[in-house]
Structures are given as C-alpha cells and as structure tokens.
Amino acid sequence: MFERFTKDARAVVEGAVLQAERAGAETVEAEHMLLALLDREGSRGSFALASLGLAGRRDSVERDLAEARRRGGLSRADADALSGLGIDLSEIVSRVEEAHGEGALDSGKGGGGGRRARRRPFAQGAKGVLTQSLRIALARRERHIGDEHLLMALTVRPGVLSEVLADHGVTHEAVTRVLYGGGGGVAEAG
C-alpha cells in the first residue's frame, strides 16, 4: 500500500512516528497522524484544513484530544451512552484522579522514555486510518493516496478524532466539498 502514497502522505506517516516519539508513546496512534497533518504546509490536506479554519488552531485540537485522553479515550457519544445507563463518567474520572492522580485514565501516556531508537508499531486505530485512506482513494478512482485521503479517513472513522475534527468544522462532507467541490465517493468506515 505504501507504494501508492504521495510524498505528502509519506511525510504525514513519518511525522506521526515523530509525534509518537515526542509523546513517549509505545505505539503510533491515529491521533499522532492528525497532529502530523496539522504540521503540514503546502499540501492538499493542509489546504483543506486551512480552508476550513483549522490552520493555527492546533492548541485547541490538542486540548480537546487531551480531554478525551483524560476520559480514558472515550468520546462524548460514549459518555452520553454511559449517562443513559445512569453512569456519570465525569464523576468516575474525578474519583479515579482523586485516588491515582490527574490523568490516571490517560490512555495516551507511554513509558517509552529512553527507547527512541526502537521502531514504534502502528496501533490498530492508525492502521485503520491507513486502510480507510486506501478505500477512499479507490472509491474516488484515484491512483495515489495523498495526505488529503488520510484527513478524509480521520473524518469518517467513528470516535474521538472525528468528533474533535467535527467540533472544529472539519467533517468528511466539508473536506470533500473543499477538495472536490461536492459530495460523492464517500467510503464508509470499516
């Protein structure tokens, strides 16, 4: 699949590895791919992000991602579902943090300090984004996978990342409109 990646898409993947290293994460997560996309300039993906007003708002995205990690990686939809069952997620987080310290549920923390030379594997979510980007490119009958396909994949995969992106106005429909001038060619998350 990587032979189909453009230089911009490869730069995002390489950037995701660097993001994981900086964070001391054991694995490269889909979140690292989003952060690497936010660092890009002069590519189709960065054009879409800038057109949708996300350029220069990395701090806001990072805060939202940190808050989701604090909730143990659960999205607001997950928290709402638990609430429907009478489970108050914020109360659980508060109690766990009282007992174990702030950020105790942070699933993004890694113990990788000092292991920078080691190759970090891609976590299931990051692999899913790569696979989804291929599906999106194929559905659009495009021969190469660009960073725009990675961005589109992040918007269609259910969970925290697509929720955070949508909160910032970056949805699959909006990205498609900016890049292609309309809808169509939507490849569902798989």
Side-chain angles (χ1 to χ4, degrees):
M1 169 171 40
F2 285 110
E3 63 276 358
R4 290 180 178 243
F5 276 49
T6 64
K7 72 176 180 52
D8 289 321
R10 288 175 194 229
V12 169
V13 172
E14 291 167 3
V17 172
L18 291 174
Q19 293 289 335
E21 286 177 359
R22 283 186 205 127
E26 289 292 316
T27 57
V28 178
E29 304 288 339
E31 174 180 328
H32 299 127
M33 296 177 79
L34 172 57
L35 295 174
L37 264 167
L38 290 171
D39 287 344
R40 299 287 302 149
E41 292 180 3
S43 67
R44 288 181 51 86
S46 66
F47 168 78
L49 290 170
S51 296
L52 295 170
L54 199 57
R57 295 180 58 203
R58 181 188 174 107
D59 290 345
S60 177
V61 171
E62 285 181 326
R63 271 192 308 276
D64 290 351
L65 293 173
E67 182 57 33
R69 281 192 308 273
R70 188 173 166 255
R71 292 189 308 258
L74 296 177
S75 68
R76 280 192 315 275
D78 296 332
D80 291 344
L82 289 171
S83 179
L85 297 171
I87 299 170
D88 183 354
L89 183 59
S90 60
E91 179 64 25
I92 292 171
V93 170
S94 294
R95 287 186 182 198
V96 169
E97 288 184 340
E98 265 179 37
H100 302 286
E102 188 171 327
L105 294 175
D106 185 342
S107 60
K109 287 185 177 176
R115 293 200 233 167
R116 297 192 74 153
R118 177 176 78 71
R119 184 176 118 88
R120 283 170 173 69
F122 277 67
Q124 236 9 74
K127 289 178 185 178
V129 170
L130 297 173
T131 302
Q132 189 66 35
S133 68
L134 172 63
R135 288 183 183 139
I136 289 169
L138 290 174
R140 298 200 65 78
R141 291 181 164 60
E142 295 174 348
R143 299 177 75 159
H144 299 287
I145 301 168
D147 68 339
E148 71 274 16
H149 299 110
L150 295 170
L151 174 59
M152 294 169 81
L154 287 166
T155 64
V156 297
R157 294 186 55 81
V160 170
L161 294 178
S162 61
E163 182 178 89
V164 168
L165 285 167
D167 288 348
H168 288 83
V170 181
T171 63
H172 185 269
E173 294 76 21
V175 171
T176 301
R177 187 176 57 253
V178 165
L179 292 173
Y180 301 102
V186 174
E188 293 301 316

